[in-house]
Amino acid sequence: MSSYVVLVILLLVSVCGARQNLTIGGLFERDGKFMQHAFTYGTEWVNERELLPQFLLVPQLTPVDPHDSYKISAQVCDMMAGSVAGVFGPHSEDTSDHVQSICDAMEIPHVETRWDTRQRRGSCLVNLFPHPSTIAKVFVDLVRVFEWESFTLVYQGNDGLIRLNGLLTYYDHKGFPVTVRQLDEGGNYRPVLRRIKNTEEKNIVLDCSADILYDVLLHAQQVGLMGSDYSYIITSFDFQTVNLEPFMYAGTNITGIRFFDPDSTEVQEVIKFWEDRQHDHGYDVSAETLLSEVPGLTGLIKFDNEGFRTDFKLDIIELTAEGILKTGTWNTTEGVNFTQTVEEKDEASSKMDLKNVTFVVMISLVDPHAMLKETTVKLD
């Protein structure tokens, strides 16, 4: 997330003039310590590398109550009085609506760093996440390439249905059977997964937060919903951050997506920077932001005229016995492009299916094919 913050800070201030202090406001829930660090480190990254020699960025962090819209509105107005160049956050959907309204009225850029499933539009809104309809197309393309003629969509919350509505609509037109099931609350996901097991469905699209992904997969394994016959598409961008070691050896086809390669030079540079840290431009700026393009850790950072990410690329990754493996890419113009051919993938899968398998050989003593012979020589 720190990479997102750095890049948008660059966009917000790239059109300004002589060197001066430039205040960037950040609204963070009280439990958002990670985001606060990312925001602060992002400004330090820009300042130390003199990426904007005419500016010294000054972060203004403001803790907010995600349930108090009136108070957060007053806090944003106080920010405006201090001549902030742009406002990041908050993460809460309800309070974010109020912040956007104020930013639109004052013609100050408002930057979102979360899913915006309600698809709000505002002249000063910039969203770092792709539009939900675009993300749905990613999974439509994957399902089409995998040639699934049926699948079960397992989702955690209503946002998942909104985010994947394009996938459901596509299959509704095709006439293929699609089952939709919601995960139970309370942490026990076995009942709903057992019901899926009983339907003999083999293809599953799983939409849930990274916080519960491990438990969901573990419960799926416990009820017998894994193995070489089963295929999963995981929708979370944080798929690769979860401990997947227990699921690497069953031969299950588990596919996910990610925005960037954690082993890339750019990402490693940001990680090192983090580790070291651990031991009146208004509408013109917002309009210029939408027209700007910069390279970043997640590829080209480009926005459409409504403030959503466009022309981006994703990695397609799969869980193998050796760990996470990049198997292809997806982009908005060409769709899915696998780096492995179907034949190579099938060959790798067949080899993996025989790994860690114990064979029990049974012999029946039937003359003359198998006979018992007594001997004093010890067999090795």
Side-chain angles (χ1 to χ4, degrees):
M1 188 61 68
S2 64
S3 61
Y4 293 150
V5 175
V6 172
L7 292 166
V8 175
I9 288 174
L10 287 171
L11 290 171
L12 287 175
V13 300
S14 61
V15 296
C16 303
R19 183 174 180 82
Q20 57 182 307
N21 286 349
L22 194 68
T23 303
I24 309 293
L27 302 171
F28 302 99
E29 285 79 2
R30 299 186 187 280
D31 59 351
K33 293 294 184 182
F34 177 83
M35 290 293 295
Q36 293 183 39
H37 290 317
F39 184 75
T40 302
Y41 295 163
T43 58
E44 292 178 1
W45 177 279
V46 174
N47 290 337
E48 290 190 11
R49 284 158 178 74
E50 296 185 351
L51 300 178
L52 298 166
Q54 69 273 39
F55 286 105
L56 181 66
L57 302 185
V58 180
Q60 180 181 338
L61 279 66
T62 302
V64 297
D65 184 343
H67 307 294
D68 193 338
S69 300
Y70 176 80
K71 183 176 180 180
I72 198 172
S73 297
Q75 290 172 309
V76 173
C77 290
D78 289 341
M79 274 189 173
M80 301 300 178
S83 301
V84 294
V87 177
F88 285 76
H91 197 71
S92 168
E93 291 185 1
D94 296 330
T95 51
S96 183
D97 288 340
H98 292 273
V99 174
Q100 184 193 336
S101 297
I102 297 173
C103 288
D104 285 346
M106 301 299 294
E107 297 186 345
I108 295 293
H110 177 215
V111 181
E112 287 187 325
T113 58
R114 61 173 181 83
W115 288 107
D116 188 355
T117 54
R118 287 185 282 188
Q119 306 179 25
R120 294 174 293 109
R121 295 293 189 267
S123 59
C124 293
L125 175 65
V126 176
N127 195 321
L128 289 168
F129 277 94
H131 192 275
S133 62
T134 306
I135 292 300
K137 187 177 184 301
V138 177
F139 302 116
V140 168
D141 289 346
L142 282 175
V143 167
R144 184 189 296 123
V145 169
F146 292 157
E147 298 182 346
W148 288 2
E149 294 188 355
S150 68
F151 66 88
T152 294
L153 170 60
V154 182
Y155 70 99
Q156 178 181 3
N158 292 332
D159 283 355
L161 287 181
I162 299 173
R163 186 162 52 244
L164 298 175
N165 181 61
L167 177 60
L168 297 176
T169 302
Y170 171 80
Y171 260 75
D172 181 58
H173 292 162
K174 291 292 182 180
F176 294 143
V178 177
T179 304
V180 179
R181 296 188 182 273
Q182 185 172 16
L183 292 169
D184 298 323
E185 296 181 356
N188 182 10
Y189 312 113
R190 297 179 189 87
V192 66
L193 295 171
R194 192 175 292 112
R195 288 194 291 272
I196 297 173
K197 169 71 174 177
N198 293 337
T199 66
E200 299 186 355
E201 177 63 72
K202 305 298 184 183
N203 303 319
I204 298 170
V205 176
L206 176 56
D207 183 271
C208 67
S209 69
D211 295 337
I212 69 168
L213 179 56
Y214 175 86
D215 289 337
V216 174
L217 292 176
L218 181 63
H219 291 186
Q221 187 178 65
Q222 291 172 349
V223 302
L225 206 58
M226 283 199 176
S228 57
D229 291 337
Y230 291 93
S231 297
Y232 285 76
I233 294 177
I234 310 297
T235 66
S236 172
F237 280 104
D238 295 323
F239 167 57
Q240 64 181 358
T241 67
V242 177
N243 174 24
L244 300 170
E245 194 273 339
F247 319 112
M248 290 167 51
Y249 309 107
T252 313
N253 304 296
I254 303 180
T255 301
I257 56 175
R258 67 186 182 193
F259 251 130
F260 56 83
D261 183 353
D263 296 323
S264 69
T265 302
E266 294 84 358
V267 174
Q268 290 301 313
E269 185 179 358
V270 171
I271 291 174
K272 185 178 185 304
F273 182 82
W274 272 57
E275 289 175 346
D276 291 342
R277 287 301 176 278
Q278 294 285 3
H279 314 326
D280 42 84
H281 305 292
Y283 183 78
D284 292 337
V285 175
S286 183
E288 186 70 20
T289 298
L290 298 182
L291 298 176
S292 301
E293 300 178 20
V294 295
L297 302 187
T298 61
L300 181 69
I301 306 296
K302 181 180 178 181
F303 301 95
D304 62 19
N305 58 1
E306 293 179 321
F308 285 93
R309 283 285 297 272
T310 185
D311 294 345
F312 60 92
K313 184 178 76 171
L314 300 174
D315 284 348
I316 299 172
I317 54 179
E318 291 192 10
L319 181 63
T320 70
E322 286 72 38
I324 292 291
L325 176 68
K326 177 180 175 180
T327 58
T329 60
W330 181 94
N331 62 54
T332 52
T333 56
E334 299 176 356
V336 174
N337 178 28
F338 282 114
T339 53
Q340 276 185 316
T341 65
V342 175
E343 291 75 14
E344 290 173 338
K345 185 176 180 181
D346 289 342
E347 181 181 356
S349 298
S350 63
K351 290 180 179 179
M352 183 176 64
D353 287 344
L354 297 179
K355 291 182 179 180
N356 302 295
V357 175
T358 300
F359 292 92
V360 178
V361 180
M362 302 181 66
I363 299 176
S364 177
L365 296 177
V366 178
D367 294 346
H369 306 291
M371 297 181 293
L372 180 64
K373 180 180 179 181
E374 295 183 359
T375 178
T376 58
V377 180
K378 184 178 180 181
L379 299 177
D380 293 331

